[in-house]
mmCIF file of all heavy atoms in Angstrom:
data_model
loop_
_atom_site.group_PDB
_atom_site.id
_atom_site.type_symbol
_atom_site.label_atom_id
_atom_site.label_comp_id
_atom_site.label_asym_id
_atom_site.label_seq_id
_atom_site.Cartn_x
_atom_site.Cartn_y
_atom_site.Cartn_z
ATOM 1 N N ALA A 491 105.054 156.342 156.159
ATOM 2 C CA ALA A 491 104.687 156.185 157.553
ATOM 3 C C ALA A 491 105.086 157.227 158.422
ATOM 4 O O ALA A 491 106.101 157.988 158.101
ATOM 5 C CB ALA A 491 105.316 154.832 158.131
ATOM 6 N N ALA A 492 104.303 157.619 159.409
ATOM 7 C CA ALA A 492 104.595 158.724 160.290
ATOM 8 C C ALA A 492 104.249 158.370 161.677
ATOM 9 O O ALA A 492 103.294 157.572 161.957
ATOM 10 C CB ALA A 492 103.758 159.940 159.873
ATOM 11 N N VAL A 493 104.980 158.950 162.713
ATOM 12 C CA VAL A 493 104.707 158.782 164.115
ATOM 13 C C VAL A 493 104.864 160.098 164.792
ATOM 14 O O VAL A 493 105.748 160.894 164.451
ATOM 15 C CB VAL A 493 105.708 157.683 164.692
ATOM 16 C CG1 VAL A 493 107.159 158.177 164.413
ATOM 17 C CG2 VAL A 493 105.510 157.399 166.136
ATOM 18 N N ASP A 494 104.089 160.295 165.791
ATOM 19 C CA ASP A 494 104.055 161.575 166.432
ATOM 20 C C ASP A 494 105.176 161.562 167.581
ATOM 21 O O ASP A 494 105.877 160.650 167.650
ATOM 22 C CB ASP A 494 102.667 161.943 167.096
ATOM 23 C CG ASP A 494 102.519 161.192 168.324
ATOM 24 O OD1 ASP A 494 102.978 160.084 168.524
ATOM 25 O OD2 ASP A 494 101.452 161.520 168.967
ATOM 26 N N TRP A 495 105.274 162.579 168.246
ATOM 27 C CA TRP A 495 106.331 162.809 169.332
ATOM 28 C C TRP A 495 106.420 161.770 170.287
ATOM 29 O O TRP A 495 107.435 161.374 170.907
ATOM 30 C CB TRP A 495 106.266 164.172 169.950
ATOM 31 C CG TRP A 495 105.006 164.247 170.772
ATOM 32 C CD1 TRP A 495 103.789 164.778 170.337
ATOM 33 C CD2 TRP A 495 104.889 163.983 172.199
ATOM 34 N NE1 TRP A 495 102.966 164.736 171.402
ATOM 35 C CE2 TRP A 495 103.598 164.255 172.526
ATOM 36 C CE3 TRP A 495 105.694 163.471 173.126
ATOM 37 C CZ2 TRP A 495 103.046 164.050 173.809
ATOM 38 C CZ3 TRP A 495 105.256 163.317 174.456
ATOM 39 C CH2 TRP A 495 104.010 163.538 174.703
ATOM 40 N N SER A 496 105.256 161.158 170.585
ATOM 41 C CA SER A 496 105.211 160.266 171.803
ATOM 42 C C SER A 496 105.378 158.808 171.360
ATOM 43 O O SER A 496 105.703 157.947 172.113
ATOM 44 C CB SER A 496 103.733 160.269 172.426
ATOM 45 O OG SER A 496 102.779 159.665 171.583
ATOM 46 N N GLY A 497 105.226 158.510 169.997
ATOM 47 C CA GLY A 497 105.257 157.231 169.482
ATOM 48 C C GLY A 497 104.086 156.395 169.590
ATOM 49 O O GLY A 497 103.963 155.205 169.190
ATOM 50 N N ARG A 498 103.085 157.177 170.070
ATOM 51 C CA ARG A 498 101.750 156.380 170.212
ATOM 52 C C ARG A 498 100.844 156.396 169.077
ATOM 53 O O ARG A 498 100.009 155.501 168.922
ATOM 54 C CB ARG A 498 101.055 156.877 171.490
ATOM 55 C CG ARG A 498 101.748 156.701 172.783
ATOM 56 C CD ARG A 498 100.830 157.397 173.981
ATOM 57 N NE ARG A 498 101.561 157.108 175.217
ATOM 58 C CZ ARG A 498 101.053 157.446 176.391
ATOM 59 N NH1 ARG A 498 99.848 158.052 176.426
ATOM 60 N NH2 ARG A 498 101.682 157.241 177.510
ATOM 61 N N ASN A 499 100.970 157.490 168.279
ATOM 62 C CA ASN A 499 100.084 157.645 167.158
ATOM 63 C C ASN A 499 100.894 157.452 165.835
ATOM 64 O O ASN A 499 101.877 158.107 165.603
ATOM 65 C CB ASN A 499 99.577 159.079 167.110
ATOM 66 C CG ASN A 499 98.705 159.194 168.379
ATOM 67 O OD1 ASN A 499 97.681 158.545 168.668
ATOM 68 N ND2 ASN A 499 99.054 160.214 169.222
ATOM 69 N N VAL A 500 100.419 156.584 164.995
ATOM 70 C CA VAL A 500 101.142 156.224 163.774
ATOM 71 C C VAL A 500 100.242 156.232 162.550
ATOM 72 O O VAL A 500 98.910 155.971 162.778
ATOM 73 C CB VAL A 500 101.855 154.893 163.860
ATOM 74 C CG1 VAL A 500 102.941 154.825 164.972
ATOM 75 C CG2 VAL A 500 100.823 153.753 164.059
ATOM 76 N N ARG A 501 100.734 156.393 161.531
ATOM 77 C CA ARG A 501 99.890 156.390 160.230
ATOM 78 C C ARG A 501 100.831 155.813 159.030
ATOM 79 O O ARG A 501 101.955 155.864 159.116
ATOM 80 C CB ARG A 501 99.440 157.746 159.795
ATOM 81 C CG ARG A 501 98.401 158.461 160.665
ATOM 82 C CD ARG A 501 97.899 159.627 160.015
ATOM 83 N NE ARG A 501 96.691 160.164 160.739
ATOM 84 C CZ ARG A 501 95.806 161.058 160.474
ATOM 85 N NH1 ARG A 501 96.044 161.615 159.160
ATOM 86 N NH2 ARG A 501 94.789 161.434 161.033
ATOM 87 N N TYR A 502 100.069 155.126 158.199
ATOM 88 C CA TYR A 502 100.749 154.476 157.052
ATOM 89 C C TYR A 502 99.983 154.645 155.790
ATOM 90 O O TYR A 502 98.805 154.792 155.739
ATOM 91 C CB TYR A 502 100.817 152.984 157.209
ATOM 92 C CG TYR A 502 101.518 152.517 158.540
ATOM 93 C CD1 TYR A 502 100.804 152.207 159.698
ATOM 94 C CD2 TYR A 502 102.875 152.250 158.618
ATOM 95 C CE1 TYR A 502 101.545 151.859 160.892
ATOM 96 C CE2 TYR A 502 103.572 151.950 159.743
ATOM 97 C CZ TYR A 502 102.800 151.725 160.898
ATOM 98 O OH TYR A 502 103.478 151.361 161.939
ATOM 99 N N VAL A 503 100.728 154.709 154.634
ATOM 100 C CA VAL A 503 100.007 154.755 153.358
ATOM 101 C C VAL A 503 99.428 153.297 153.251
ATOM 102 O O VAL A 503 99.901 152.380 153.621
ATOM 103 C CB VAL A 503 101.078 154.978 152.230
ATOM 104 C CG1 VAL A 503 102.145 153.893 152.109
ATOM 105 C CG2 VAL A 503 100.319 155.324 150.933
ATOM 106 N N ASP A 504 98.292 153.210 152.515
ATOM 107 C CA ASP A 504 97.570 151.977 152.442
ATOM 108 C C ASP A 504 98.372 150.884 151.910
ATOM 109 O O ASP A 504 98.104 149.712 152.324
ATOM 110 C CB ASP A 504 96.329 152.228 151.556
ATOM 111 C CG ASP A 504 95.212 153.078 152.104
ATOM 112 O OD1 ASP A 504 95.293 153.212 153.430
ATOM 113 O OD2 ASP A 504 94.248 153.549 151.384
ATOM 114 N N SER A 505 99.232 151.138 150.944
ATOM 115 C CA SER A 505 100.071 150.026 150.278
ATOM 116 C C SER A 505 101.083 149.274 151.160
ATOM 117 O O SER A 505 101.413 148.157 150.838
ATOM 118 C CB SER A 505 100.696 150.604 149.136
ATOM 119 O OG SER A 505 101.759 151.547 149.513
ATOM 120 N N VAL A 506 101.233 149.886 152.400
ATOM 121 C CA VAL A 506 102.157 149.223 153.236
ATOM 122 C C VAL A 506 101.473 148.721 154.587
ATOM 123 O O VAL A 506 102.176 148.044 155.452
ATOM 124 C CB VAL A 506 103.407 150.099 153.635
ATOM 125 C CG1 VAL A 506 103.990 150.587 152.294
ATOM 126 C CG2 VAL A 506 103.072 151.187 154.478
ATOM 127 N N LYS A 507 100.348 149.024 154.756
ATOM 128 C CA LYS A 507 99.564 148.609 155.995
ATOM 129 C C LYS A 507 99.651 147.096 156.144
ATOM 130 O O LYS A 507 99.324 146.390 155.172
ATOM 131 C CB LYS A 507 98.118 149.124 156.010
ATOM 132 C CG LYS A 507 98.025 150.727 156.112
ATOM 133 C CD LYS A 507 96.506 151.017 156.149
ATOM 134 C CE LYS A 507 96.298 152.551 156.326
ATOM 135 N NZ LYS A 507 94.952 152.975 156.329
ATOM 136 N N GLY A 508 99.942 146.699 157.395
ATOM 137 C CA GLY A 508 100.065 145.307 157.730
ATOM 138 C C GLY A 508 101.512 144.787 157.360
ATOM 139 O O GLY A 508 101.750 143.637 157.831
ATOM 140 N N ARG A 509 102.238 145.509 156.650
ATOM 141 C CA ARG A 509 103.660 144.996 156.314
ATOM 142 C C ARG A 509 104.731 145.785 157.024
ATOM 143 O O ARG A 509 105.777 145.316 157.376
ATOM 144 C CB ARG A 509 103.825 145.103 154.782
ATOM 145 C CG ARG A 509 102.797 144.196 154.087
ATOM 146 C CD ARG A 509 103.251 143.934 152.520
ATOM 147 N NE ARG A 509 103.176 145.328 151.949
ATOM 148 C CZ ARG A 509 104.279 145.910 151.314
ATOM 149 N NH1 ARG A 509 105.366 145.230 151.282
ATOM 150 N NH2 ARG A 509 104.102 147.090 150.645
ATOM 151 N N PHE A 510 104.582 147.104 157.127
ATOM 152 C CA PHE A 510 105.513 148.026 157.707
ATOM 153 C C PHE A 510 105.173 148.520 159.162
ATOM 154 O O PHE A 510 104.024 148.579 159.299
ATOM 155 C CB PHE A 510 105.655 149.307 156.718
ATOM 156 C CG PHE A 510 106.429 149.100 155.372
ATOM 157 C CD1 PHE A 510 106.659 147.754 154.889
ATOM 158 C CD2 PHE A 510 106.829 150.096 154.729
ATOM 159 C CE1 PHE A 510 107.135 147.545 153.752
ATOM 160 C CE2 PHE A 510 107.350 149.857 153.358
ATOM 161 C CZ PHE A 510 107.609 148.674 152.942
ATOM 162 N N THR A 511 106.063 148.819 159.861
ATOM 163 C CA THR A 511 105.846 149.325 161.166
ATOM 164 C C THR A 511 106.908 150.369 161.513
ATOM 165 O O THR A 511 108.102 150.138 161.302
ATOM 166 C CB THR A 511 105.981 148.165 162.194
ATOM 167 O OG1 THR A 511 105.120 147.058 162.090
ATOM 168 C CG2 THR A 511 105.752 148.746 163.560
ATOM 169 N N ILE A 512 106.468 151.576 161.788
ATOM 170 C CA ILE A 512 107.314 152.674 162.221
ATOM 171 C C ILE A 512 107.358 152.675 163.688
ATOM 172 O O ILE A 512 106.368 152.470 164.471
ATOM 173 C CB ILE A 512 106.795 154.052 161.688
ATOM 174 C CG1 ILE A 512 107.897 155.117 161.863
ATOM 175 C CG2 ILE A 512 105.633 154.456 162.082
ATOM 176 C CD1 ILE A 512 107.609 156.449 161.133
ATOM 177 N N SER A 513 108.445 152.967 164.316
ATOM 178 C CA SER A 513 108.638 153.157 165.815
ATOM 179 C C SER A 513 109.674 154.140 166.116
ATOM 180 O O SER A 513 110.542 154.444 165.134
ATOM 181 C CB SER A 513 108.949 151.759 166.404
ATOM 182 O OG SER A 513 110.093 151.233 165.937
ATOM 183 N N ARG A 514 109.681 154.584 167.268
ATOM 184 C CA ARG A 514 110.725 155.510 167.662
ATOM 185 C C ARG A 514 111.287 155.256 169.091
ATOM 186 O O ARG A 514 110.446 154.774 169.868
ATOM 187 C CB ARG A 514 110.219 157.014 167.552
ATOM 188 C CG ARG A 514 109.275 157.394 168.470
ATOM 189 C CD ARG A 514 108.665 158.832 168.273
ATOM 190 N NE ARG A 514 109.786 159.805 168.216
ATOM 191 C CZ ARG A 514 109.615 161.049 167.729
ATOM 192 N NH1 ARG A 514 108.591 161.368 167.057
ATOM 193 N NH2 ARG A 514 110.621 161.944 167.878
ATOM 194 N N ASP A 515 112.509 155.522 169.255
ATOM 195 C CA ASP A 515 113.025 155.361 170.628
ATOM 196 C C ASP A 515 113.514 156.740 171.073
ATOM 197 O O ASP A 515 114.631 157.149 170.553
ATOM 198 C CB ASP A 515 114.180 154.248 170.688
ATOM 199 C CG ASP A 515 114.617 153.972 172.009
ATOM 200 O OD1 ASP A 515 114.323 154.815 173.003
ATOM 201 O OD2 ASP A 515 115.256 153.006 172.282
ATOM 202 N N ASN A 516 112.889 157.414 171.967
ATOM 203 C CA ASN A 516 113.242 158.771 172.369
ATOM 204 C C ASN A 516 114.342 158.760 173.336
ATOM 205 O O ASN A 516 114.922 159.748 173.658
ATOM 206 C CB ASN A 516 112.033 159.574 172.970
ATOM 207 C CG ASN A 516 110.983 159.910 171.934
ATOM 208 O OD1 ASN A 516 111.263 159.777 170.718
ATOM 209 N ND2 ASN A 516 109.760 160.360 172.353
ATOM 210 N N THR A 517 114.820 157.607 173.840
ATOM 211 C CA THR A 517 116.015 157.561 174.578
ATOM 212 C C THR A 517 117.229 157.509 173.761
ATOM 213 O O THR A 517 118.396 157.628 174.282
ATOM 214 C CB THR A 517 116.012 156.369 175.650
ATOM 215 O OG1 THR A 517 116.067 155.119 174.906
ATOM 216 C CG2 THR A 517 114.629 156.398 176.494
ATOM 217 N N LYS A 518 117.018 157.050 172.490
ATOM 218 C CA LYS A 518 118.208 156.809 171.597
ATOM 219 C C LYS A 518 118.200 157.817 170.406
ATOM 220 O O LYS A 518 119.119 157.669 169.550
ATOM 221 C CB LYS A 518 118.287 155.442 171.206
ATOM 222 C CG LYS A 518 118.416 154.346 172.256
ATOM 223 C CD LYS A 518 118.520 153.014 171.770
ATOM 224 C CE LYS A 518 118.761 152.019 172.760
ATOM 225 N NZ LYS A 518 118.679 150.554 172.427
ATOM 226 N N ASP A 519 117.228 158.691 170.288
ATOM 227 C CA ASP A 519 117.024 159.566 169.233
ATOM 228 C C ASP A 519 117.009 158.915 167.791
ATOM 229 O O ASP A 519 117.839 159.262 166.968
ATOM 230 C CB ASP A 519 118.134 160.649 169.166
ATOM 231 C CG ASP A 519 118.022 161.618 170.345
ATOM 232 O OD1 ASP A 519 117.070 161.492 171.174
ATOM 233 O OD2 ASP A 519 118.814 162.540 170.488
ATOM 234 N N THR A 520 116.261 157.740 167.788
ATOM 235 C CA THR A 520 116.303 157.008 166.602
ATOM 236 C C THR A 520 114.817 156.560 166.191
ATOM 237 O O THR A 520 113.952 156.462 167.099
ATOM 238 C CB THR A 520 116.877 155.713 166.977
ATOM 239 O OG1 THR A 520 118.351 155.953 167.216
ATOM 240 C CG2 THR A 520 117.009 154.691 165.739
ATOM 241 N N VAL A 521 114.609 156.612 164.815
ATOM 242 C CA VAL A 521 113.313 156.181 164.455
ATOM 243 C C VAL A 521 113.430 155.023 163.426
ATOM 244 O O VAL A 521 114.505 154.938 162.649
ATOM 245 C CB VAL A 521 112.585 157.177 163.743
ATOM 246 C CG1 VAL A 521 113.304 157.825 162.540
ATOM 247 C CG2 VAL A 521 111.153 156.846 163.139
ATOM 248 N N LEU A 522 112.720 154.009 163.484
ATOM 249 C CA LEU A 522 112.838 152.672 162.682
ATOM 250 C C LEU A 522 111.669 152.541 161.795
ATOM 251 O O LEU A 522 110.618 152.958 162.001
ATOM 252 C CB LEU A 522 112.988 151.515 163.679
ATOM 253 C CG LEU A 522 114.149 151.577 164.740
ATOM 254 C CD1 LEU A 522 113.997 150.342 165.609
ATOM 255 C CD2 LEU A 522 115.538 151.654 163.996
ATOM 256 N N LEU A 523 112.015 151.860 160.635
ATOM 257 C CA LEU A 523 110.946 151.350 159.706
ATOM 258 C C LEU A 523 111.184 149.955 159.475
ATOM 259 O O LEU A 523 112.155 149.613 158.738
ATOM 260 C CB LEU A 523 110.851 152.155 158.533
ATOM 261 C CG LEU A 523 109.741 151.750 157.585
ATOM 262 C CD1 LEU A 523 108.395 152.216 158.121
ATOM 263 C CD2 LEU A 523 109.973 152.384 156.168
#
């Protein structure tokens, strides 16, 4: 999974679509899966 600088644009490998979610919090310098 990948997310751009804004957190608005995300991409996933087909095998995890619908199951995994990537997100980021730019106020906490953290990315989650």
Side-chain angles (χ1 to χ4, degrees):
V493 59
D494 77 342
W495 64 271
S496 73
R498 295 181 178 180
N499 300 300
V500 298
R501 289 191 170 192
Y502 302 94
V503 68
D504 286 345
S505 61
V506 309
K507 288 181 178 177
R509 300 189 297 120
F510 291 10
T511 302
I512 188 171
S513 62
R514 68 188 298 160
D515 187 342
N516 286 349
T517 69
K518 299 180 179 179
D519 291 3
T520 301
V521 60
L522 303 175
L523 184 68

